Every structure is written in C-alpha cells, then in structure tokens.
Amino acid sequence: MMKLINLSAIYTLWLRETKRFLRAKSRVIGALGMPLMFLVFMGKGFSKASLPGLPQGVNYINYLAPGIIAMILLFGSMFAGISVLWDRQFGFLKEVMVSPVSRTSIVLGRVAGGVTMALSQAMLMLIASLVMGLKTTVFGVLSSLIFMVLLSAAFVGLGLAFASKMEDMHGFQMIMNFLMFPLFFLSGALFPLSELPVWVEKIALLNPMTYGVDALRATLIGVSVNSLAVDALALIFFCTAMVGFGAYLFESVEVD
C-alpha cells in the first residue's frame, strides 16, 4: 500500500531541488539583485528623512530591512514553481508521477526544496541588512526564522498550484510578476500602511504578505502593527491553505 507521507521521497526531492539551486549561481545573484538595490538606494536615500507614519525611534533602514527580506521570500518562493515546468519539459515530472510515491509526498518534497532556497536567499539579505545598519538580536533572528518558513511555504504552495495547471514557462513568469508586485507593494514593506487611503489599507489587510512583513518587524526590530499572535495565526492559516491548495491541484496533474 502506498504511504501517504514518504520521508525518503521528500528528502530525495528536497536534495535535488537544493543541489540544482546551488549550481545555478547566476540565479542566486539575480534573485538578490533587485531587493539589494531597494535596500541600498532606498535605505540610504531615506535614512535621514522624516517619513510620516514611521514608528518613533526607528530609522528607515531598520524599518525597510524586514520588508526587503519578505520580498526575497515572496519572489524566491513563488518562482520555485517554475521547476515543475522544467521537469515537465524534460520528462522528469512524468518519471516522478508514475513512481510508487504519493503525490502528497512529491508536493511536500518540492515545498521543502522551495523553502530552503528562499530561506537561504533571505539569510543572505539579512546579513546584507546587518552590514547596512540593521539593529537586531540573536533571539530576534531565531524567532524570525519561524515566520520566514511559514511565509515561504505558503507562497511555494501558491506557485506550485499555478505551475501544476500551466505548461508555458513564459506565461507562468508573467502571471507570477502580475501577482507578486501588488502583494509586495500592498504589504507595508516599503512604507507604513497607515499613510495609505482607507480603502487601500483595508485591501492590504487581506494580503498575507502584510502579516509576514509585520511579523518580521516584530521579531527583528520589536515594532509591529498587529500582535505577534495575530500575525502568526494569519500566516499559519494562509500557509496551510496554500500548501493544501497546491497539493490538491497537483493531484490532478497530467503528464504525457
């Protein structure tokens, strides 16, 4: 009888995704390029500015850094779904799908690989933020890892959901870009949500990225809009829903 959860299969898929990521050095550099420019130019450019809505006693580089780390997690996680399209194109997906392994294990293996890739990029950005002047604590960094994993797993699941229903790689990239930028700009990553029009602020409250950014600010710099419990519950719900949604759609994937 096929096991619902096959740890060996999950580990094998995780290892494959991780090795493929480590070998693609240009992919790592490209993924860090734009967020690093945001951090350097906006962080330094507005470092002495008095921005409305900024928490008292918090400079802009400290406010911005958690948002840029969340940006890395969003972009890296959702584009993890592109590996499904590569595997479909080169026949590996068919080999995996016909193996005596549950599709739930396949999804979990890919989610684990995607989270590892996004988390490694986020840690590099965290180091860059510390160099730029981010003030945090060891406990804050360790606590933030929990929310980084939740945020990343949720968006990996969403990326897999779209990838499981698409065959065109360019179309997938366009849809991901169409989704990612509104999620990012309406999360409060770059500026306080309190300065937005009321109707936009209400829309932002439906954005799961909002709670991820807020949780990272709470753990890294000790400033947040919501309580950490609210952020945690929102991210756990979204993560569970997206990974479940991705697994459900992946169950119906057809390969030729």
Side-chain angles (χ1 to χ4, degrees):
M1 183 178 179
M2 186 185 299
K3 293 181 180 178
L4 181 62
I5 304 296
N6 188 313
L7 295 179
S8 178
I10 293 173
Y11 170 75
T12 301
L13 289 170
W14 168 82
L15 186 62
R16 179 177 181 271
E17 293 295 315
T18 304
K19 284 184 175 180
R20 184 160 61 177
F21 172 72
L22 293 175
R23 289 169 182 166
K25 295 181 176 58
S26 59
R27 181 178 170 186
V28 179
I29 296 171
L32 292 174
M34 184 169 63
L36 190 58
M37 284 194 292
F38 269 102
L39 183 65
V40 172
F41 293 111
M42 293 192 68
K44 288 300 182 182
F46 293 100
S47 60
K48 296 182 180 180
S50 179
L51 299 178
L54 206 65
Q56 190 173 4
V58 177
N59 62 30
Y60 189 61
I61 192 69
N62 280 275
Y63 184 84
L64 179 65
I68 298 302
I69 292 170
M71 176 187 184
I72 279 279
L73 292 168
L74 170 66
F75 284 34
S77 299
M78 290 192 73
F79 272 116
I82 206 168
S83 64
V84 174
L85 300 179
W86 277 110
D87 289 345
R88 187 197 298 270
Q89 183 175 346
F90 292 105
F92 180 78
L93 184 62
K94 182 177 182 179
E95 295 178 8
V96 172
M97 300 298 274
V98 299
S99 65
V101 175
S102 69
R103 296 196 175 186
T104 301
S105 297
I106 296 172
V107 170
L108 291 178
R110 289 189 175 274
V111 168
V115 169
T116 301
M117 291 184 289
L119 199 59
S120 63
Q121 294 173 58
M123 294 310 295
L124 289 174
M125 186 55 63
L126 177 58
I127 294 171
S129 301
L130 293 171
V131 173
M132 291 282 295
L134 173 65
K135 305 296 182 183
T136 187
T137 63
V138 174
F139 178 75
V141 171
L142 295 176
S143 301
S144 69
L145 289 175
I146 299 171
F147 297 100
M148 289 185 196
V149 169
L150 287 173
L151 191 62
S152 178
F155 286 116
V156 171
L158 183 58
L160 288 177
F162 278 97
S164 66
K165 292 301 178 184
M166 298 184 68
E167 296 184 4
D168 180 30
M169 201 170 300
H170 299 293
F172 176 80
Q173 292 175 332
M174 290 181 65
I175 289 178
M176 290 300 99
N177 286 326
F178 178 77
L179 287 174
M180 287 188 300
F181 282 99
L183 287 172
F184 172 60
F185 286 115
L186 287 176
S187 67
L190 303 179
F191 42 77
L193 292 175
S194 59
E195 299 306 306
L196 296 174
V198 175
W199 66 273
V200 179
E201 187 177 352
K202 289 182 178 179
I203 293 175
L205 293 177
L206 300 176
N207 180 5
M209 266 288 285
T210 301
Y211 301 95
V213 170
D214 197 55
L216 291 180
R217 286 204 178 106
T219 51
L220 291 174
I221 65 173
V223 171
S224 63
V225 176
N226 306 313
S227 69
L228 204 54
V230 170
D231 291 331
L233 287 173
L235 287 174
I236 290 171
F237 172 79
F238 181 65
C239 179
T240 304
M242 289 300 98
V243 173
F245 182 55
Y248 172 75
L249 292 183
F250 204 81
E251 285 285 340
S252 59
V253 167
E254 296 182 1
V255 289
D256 298 326

